[in-house]
Amino acid sequence: MAVMVAILAALAAAWMAAGSIGLVGGPLRRSLTWIALGISVIAAWPGGQRANPGTGRKENNRNAGRAGSSPVLFQSGIAGAVLSYGVLTAGAILAIALNSARSTVVNVLSVTVLLAAISVGQPAGPGRRLIRATAAAVCAFAVYGLARTSVPTLWWLSDGLGEGMGRLAGRLAGRSLWIGGTMAGMDFLVLSAMVCTAWLRLAPPPRWPRALYAASAVAVGHGAYLCLLAACQPCFGPPKPAPETSEWTWSAAAGTLIPWNLPALAGVIQLVILSAVLSWCPPPEARPGRARRRILPDAPLAGWSAALILALLVPAAGLLEARSLSLAGKKIVAYDRLFGNWEKPKHGEYGRLSVGMYGMLPTYVESLGGELVRSGELSDEDLKDAAAVLFIFPNEPWPAGALERIEKYVRGGGAILVAGEHTIFEKDVPASEGGNYFNQLLGNTSMQVRLDSAEFAVGGWLASYEALAHPATIGLDDARNQFGVVIGASVRAGWSAAPLLIGRFGFADPGDESDEAGLSNRRFDPGERLGDLVLAAEESIGRGKVVVFGDTSSFTNGITYGSYEFTSRLLAYLADAASGPRSAWRQLAVLLLAAALVGVLGWQGDSPRAGAAGAVMALGVLVCTQASWRKATLLPDGRNRTPNNLAYIDASHLEAYSRESLREDGLMGLTHALMRDGYQVLSLDRFDPAAIERAGLLVSIAPGRAFTPAERETVRKFVERGGCFISMVGYDRAGPSRALLADFGFYVGNPPGADGASPPDPVPWGHFKSPFVTVGDYRAHVRFHAGWPVGNVGFDPLRADHLRRSGQAGSDPMLREFRDIAYGPGDRTIILSRHVGRGKFILIGDTGFAMNKNLENIGGEPFEGMRENADFWRWFITYIRNETPWYPTGPGGPPEAKPELRPPTPEVIP
């Protein structure tokens, strides 16, 4: 029973690690996997009561040792005990580390490693053989997962089998069911088949009847799940929004699991079936005399060598990319006749609608080293030296001969990106040509943008993406919407096309021509595609390539902020004439190597080599992914512009702001304010020194995790070389920032005592307004959401003010280094700047200072009838970049008097 519990818990862990149980966020998925692995370890812990294979009776360790079927502790003495517990501890630590990786393949291999470690502490006999056979099956399941995302043909096969099973179950249930491999539970079938195969190999003859019974049980159980899925489709509509005052209930929580977590039911059914199958006929003990004398039974050297070599070759063949991507010196042509505009944020326009659509795209491509040229005619002259051509939702009839020129360009080795949108019906485009202008571009491919809406289960397809191995996607995960897809359309593609990006948990809502926007009811109805929506795909045409997206969002001004790592690599991939979809020979190589590895694992399946192969394969996946990610990554660079126009907002230290830019705590207003003055604003998801040194501005907003010494050194070098670092943090959140602030002599709150004693807590200032410049009769104010005093050790702002007013500012070197920009109550500083090297370090004592709730309303409405903080940032940016200052003029127009940057008597307006 203990062995059975350990095996079933490990199988559940493998499905959780693979993401097979449905829509589960990454942290929760890893936590559930750890829990299941913990149950497996506890159940199979060395020692305790064990069953004597000869009598079937439970005996304690001492009696078991005398009976000749003892655990390892009595097989090999103290050395054996140390080894067994040591291996188990090392295996558990390694499994925890592997389960923390981004790759689901590596997460699954953590189960293999732990099962192999568990088997070392088991007594020789059927239990140990079955655990090792299960470890081999889980390792083979991981190989399948890697091959499925590396070989587009295998992905299509898995999806097609899932679709076929769904249609069959729908007929049996009397309801149409259109699903893919995820909702069909293909992972459960694959691993169950592998476990049953391993069990059959260990079982005594006759095996064919057992194989038939096991296969029938697995098939009937899975068929019951699929029929239930088909029958329950009318219940799959979106849950009704709960009133704000309603309390959390189990029933409401359970409603959010349907249908996205129904695949977990298939897993439960398979666990019940496998428990019956494995208990039905335990494998006999193999080579009993020899097995009892050694902890690790002998295995042929050839089997070990082949397993380890193949474990390295499979990830190398499936994931390793040899070519580096670059846009340097390349021309990208963008078709100009599109739905949308080439606007970008500009002064005087506010709110979410002021962001524009594609106006920042030329600046973005320039930061990557390329050049973006807009063309409305697509003439031969425009196309002849174009590295790639972008078609972003074209919505006008094509110029004469344009389609023929585009096809000639592609077949000659060019590349095009076609980005469509959901439910687009053009009346003058026949259905045979796709019903819209962008589908007319795809007439010579097997791909079409469907006339539907690809609706996600969670906004931004969070925890729902499946990216196939590709230079543009490798190394990216779905914890954040790094791919930038919102609600677009799904893509229909044939076997000659390669899926690029899949939306696992969503549904395809067919378009409605009678609706103005072409939308249907935006809820799931029986018979609509459920899960595994192809969001992007590519296909080779002649010597060129075509990439199709069902959405344009990834390339818009507002979403490039978070999707740039993906879109930059995609553009560079398109512009690289030597790269293209996975060749047939490479796909075949991956399949052959994967089949060979599975065969080696199955040969002498009760050998401990599966654990070693799993560890080596996990290492290979991590190394190959990292190497390919580095080869494909492009670093935007603002140093080719004067001033440097690249700005990063740090997102790598658990910052206080919301990643949803349109929320009150979001940063829409800040990104718009920076873009209005020409900044290319990007999210810094990794604190990479190479990326930071190419930027001109780096913003940190109340990090929740402290900067490491190496990161603090990176900030110092960045500032000394001419960059500007802005820290916005209140006293209540200043803890993780204190070490960095201290490096530059800053503090938030009260100044530290002379003897190193902790200062008393400051009195919070809350919300207030303070003047920062006087222009004629107009006093410009800046608003603070929840302010706190700030300062610098050795800098006295009151003395500085006295020296300035008396004309003696030049006599104090501290005044040349520091500048107090805004004040709070008691004439204490709240914004303080320091010149360091060629750059600046600026501290703002307010966590919410640049959040929407204090800077810019979502709808663009002014704050109390004024745009004070938008004006402050416009002036502030000129100060950051050492430009001629821009001064707010107020309602009276330009002043006659010279602006005064600090009024004689600070006025604080609560």
Side-chain angles (χ1 to χ4, degrees):
M1 180 60 68
V3 169
M4 189 62 60
V5 171
I7 289 174
L8 296 179
L11 294 176
W15 283 321
M16 293 172 185
S20 309
I21 62 173
L23 178 56
V24 179
L28 177 58
R29 178 176 59 82
R30 294 181 180 92
S31 298
L32 293 174
T33 304
W34 280 327
I35 291 172
L37 290 177
I39 293 173
S40 185
V41 170
I42 293 171
W45 189 260
Q49 290 189 333
R50 304 217 178 242
N52 187 321
T55 64
R57 296 192 302 271
K58 290 184 177 179
E59 302 172 341
N60 60 31
N61 283 341
R62 184 177 301 175
N63 293 335
R66 293 172 182 171
S69 60
S70 65
V72 173
L73 177 63
F74 291 95
Q75 285 181 342
S76 305
I78 299 301
V82 171
L83 180 58
S84 62
Y85 286 107
V87 169
L88 181 57
T89 302
I93 294 173
L94 181 57
I96 291 174
L98 295 179
N99 190 45
S100 302
R102 289 184 176 184
S103 169
T104 55
V105 172
V106 175
N107 299 157
V108 173
L109 289 171
S110 69
V111 181
T112 297
V113 170
L114 188 60
L115 280 175
I118 287 173
S119 71
V120 173
Q122 296 298 306
R128 183 162 75 177
R129 298 185 67 202
L130 204 52
I131 289 176
R132 288 179 174 171
T134 305
V138 173
C139 189
F141 176 60
V143 174
Y144 158 77
L146 176 61
R148 184 173 56 84
T149 54
S150 301
V151 180
T153 304
L154 185 58
W155 189 91
W156 284 122
L157 179 62
S158 172
D159 185 72
L161 288 174
E163 182 176 330
M165 291 190 301
R167 294 196 182 282
L168 177 60
R171 290 184 179 181
L172 294 175
R175 292 186 183 275
S176 177
L177 180 62
W178 186 16
I179 55 178
T182 298
M183 297 303 295
M186 287 297 298
D187 284 354
F188 300 107
L189 284 180
V190 170
L191 183 53
S192 295
M194 290 175 174
V195 171
C196 288
T197 301
W199 165 76
L200 283 170
R201 188 186 177 283
L202 298 178
R207 293 190 176 93
W208 281 112
R210 295 190 179 93
L212 181 60
Y213 293 145
S216 299
V218 169
V220 169
H222 203 70
Y225 155 72
L226 291 173
C227 289
L228 179 64
L229 182 66
C232 292
Q233 286 183 96
C235 305
F236 292 170
K240 295 180 180 179
E244 293 183 2
T245 57
S246 64
E247 297 182 357
W248 187 91
T249 62
W250 282 104
S251 59
T256 64
L257 303 178
I258 299 173
W260 312 117
N261 293 95
L262 276 181
L265 176 61
V268 173
I269 293 173
Q270 293 302 320
L271 287 178
V272 173
I273 293 172
L274 290 177
S275 66
V277 168
L278 298 179
S279 302
W280 174 24
C281 183
E285 188 173 354
R287 298 184 293 175
R290 189 172 186 180
R292 289 188 181 119
R293 288 196 300 268
R294 296 181 181 271
I295 297 173
L296 299 177
D298 289 337
L301 180 60
W304 278 88
S305 301
L308 299 182
I309 292 173
L310 288 169
L312 284 175
L313 291 178
V314 170
L319 302 175
L320 197 58
E321 299 290 342
R323 295 185 59 84
S324 297
L325 298 181
S326 173
L327 269 179
K330 297 179 180 179
K331 184 178 84 171
I332 305 295
V333 174
Y335 185 53
D336 210 6
R337 302 183 184 182
L338 48 72
F339 178 86
N341 58 68
W342 291 95
E343 300 294 328
K344 56 185 177 181
K346 53 188 176 184
H347 295 292
E349 297 181 1
Y350 304 94
R352 65 183 181 87
L353 298 180
S354 69
V355 68
M357 296 191 71
Y358 310 110
M360 294 299 299
L361 197 54
T363 303
Y364 174 52
V365 172
E366 181 183 338
S367 73
L368 299 172
E371 177 191 13
L372 187 133
V373 177
R374 292 161 52 184
S375 171
E377 297 299 326
L378 299 174
S379 65
D380 290 331
E381 184 67 22
D382 291 338
L383 297 176
K384 72 176 183 180
D385 57 348
V389 182
L390 309 182
F391 297 93
I392 305 176
F393 194 174
N395 71 329
E396 295 183 12
W398 296 100
L403 292 177
E404 291 76 12
R405 291 193 294 272
I406 295 166
E407 182 179 357
K408 178 182 176 182
Y409 166 77
V410 173
R411 291 190 179 277
I416 65 172
L417 170 72
V418 181
E421 265 297 350
H422 61 80
T423 59
I424 302 302
F425 302 90
E426 302 288 357
K427 295 181 179 180
D428 55 345
V429 179
S432 60
E433 297 180 15
N436 49 57
Y437 297 113
F438 46 81
N439 273 335
Q440 285 185 313
L441 287 167
L442 307 173
N444 294 317
T445 72
S446 67
M447 304 180 294
Q448 287 273 287
V449 177
R450 285 195 172 103
L451 301 176
D452 63 16
S453 298
E455 302 274 357
F456 40 59
V458 176
W461 296 96
L462 299 185
S464 299
Y465 284 117
E466 181 177 46
L468 272 70
H470 189 276
T473 62
I474 196 163
L476 303 182
D477 61 16
D478 59 0
R480 297 170 176 173
N481 190 7
Q482 291 181 299
F483 298 104
V485 181
V486 191
I487 293 182
S490 65
V491 175
R492 175 182 60 79
W495 285 68
S496 59
L500 184 66
L501 197 61
I502 312 299
R504 299 183 69 196
F505 302 109
F507 64 93
D509 195 32
D512 182 2
E513 291 189 72
S514 63
D515 182 79
E516 182 178 357
L519 296 172
S520 184
N521 58 8
R522 301 198 66 181
R523 60 173 290 140
F524 177 79
D525 295 311
E528 296 176 353
R529 173 76 178 198
L530 183 64
D532 292 321
L533 307 180
V534 178
L535 304 177
E538 66 171 329
E539 186 173 346
S540 292
I541 300 295
R543 293 188 290 114
K545 55 198 169 191
V546 179
V547 174
V548 179
F549 263 78
D551 186 34
T552 61
S553 302
S554 304
F555 304 93
T556 56
N557 297 341
I559 293 183
T560 296
Y561 167 81
S563 67
Y564 69 93
E565 185 172 359
F566 167 65
T567 55
S568 64
R569 291 160 60 172
L570 180 62
L571 291 174
Y573 168 78
L574 286 166
D576 186 355
S579 61
R582 286 290 172 95
S583 60
W585 71 264
R586 184 165 181 179
Q587 294 188 49
L588 181 61
V590 175
L591 289 175
L592 291 177
L593 289 170
L597 179 55
V598 171
V600 170
L601 294 174
W603 172 43
Q604 197 178 4
D606 56 338
S607 164
R609 74 166 72 100
V616 170
M617 182 176 169
L619 177 63
V621 170
L622 293 174
V623 170
C624 292
T625 299
Q626 181 70 9
S628 298
W629 173 81
R630 288 192 176 277
K631 286 281 188 181
T633 296
L634 281 71
L635 296 177
D637 197 336
R639 294 174 298 182
N640 57 354
R641 292 278 296 264
T642 302
N644 188 316
N645 69 330
L646 179 60
Y648 280 116
I649 299 177
D650 190 16
S652 62
H653 291 84
L654 303 176
E655 282 70 21
Y657 64 86
S658 170
R659 290 295 296 253
E660 297 289 336
S661 64
L662 299 183
R663 296 186 184 275
E664 280 197 344
D665 290 338
L667 300 182
M668 175 208 72
L670 176 61
T671 58
H672 286 195
L674 295 174
M675 283 192 280
R676 288 183 191 114
D677 281 292
Y679 276 106
Q680 178 65 62
V681 190
L682 305 175
S683 173
L684 188 68
D685 294 333
R686 284 179 302 277
F687 208 79
D688 182 5
I692 292 171
E693 71 178 1
R694 290 165 168 78
L697 176 64
L698 178 57
V699 178
S700 172
I701 302 178
R705 183 170 58 202
F707 292 84
T708 66
E711 291 172 339
R712 285 155 47 194
E713 182 62 23
T714 295
V715 174
R716 174 167 288 279
K717 290 180 179 178
F718 167 73
V719 174
E720 289 176 345
R721 292 170 181 167
C724 179
F725 186 94
I726 301 178
S727 174
M728 305 181 208
V729 59
Y731 180 78
D732 54 334
R733 290 180 175 268
S737 298
R738 283 201 176 101
L740 176 64
L741 298 180
D743 288 345
F744 291 87
F746 287 93
Y747 61 83
V748 181
N750 291 319
D755 57 353
S758 298
D761 291 337
V763 176
W765 288 341
H767 169 70
F768 66 94
K769 296 196 300 183
S770 175
F772 69 94
V773 64
T774 298
V775 186
D777 295 330
Y778 175 64
R779 308 187 83 185
H781 290 76
V782 55
R783 303 166 55 94
F784 295 94
H785 178 71
W788 299 86
V790 304
N792 187 279
V793 177
F795 177 67
D796 184 353
L798 296 179
R799 178 175 175 274
D801 180 55
H802 171 73
L803 292 174
R804 285 196 190 97
R805 280 190 274 176
S806 62
Q808 303 177 45
S811 64
D812 191 336
M814 294 289 283
L815 289 182
R816 295 194 297 271
E817 185 175 344
F818 293 95
R819 176 174 173 180
D820 44 339
I821 294 175
Y823 301 87
D827 204 17
R828 294 192 62 184
T829 307
I830 187 171
I831 302 181
L832 182 61
S833 171
R834 177 182 182 183
H835 287 266
V836 180
R838 300 198 307 271
K840 300 183 182 73
F841 190 105
I842 301 173
L843 175 60
I844 302 175
D846 184 359
T847 296
F849 180 70
M851 296 179 185
N852 295 334
K853 60 190 176 185
N854 192 60
L855 175 53
E856 188 169 331
N857 284 314
I858 307 304
E861 305 88 355
F863 288 87
E864 300 173 350
M866 292 174 284
R867 309 281 184 188
E868 293 167 313
N869 278 29
D871 288 344
F872 170 81
W873 276 98
R874 186 174 181 182
W875 168 84
F876 192 40
I877 288 171
T878 62
Y879 167 74
I880 290 171
R881 302 198 297 203
N882 299 316
E883 296 176 334
T884 301
W886 174 89
Y887 295 109
T889 59
E896 297 180 2
K898 181 180 178 180
E900 183 180 354
L901 295 183
R902 186 191 191 281
T905 304
E907 175 189 4
V908 176
I909 303 176

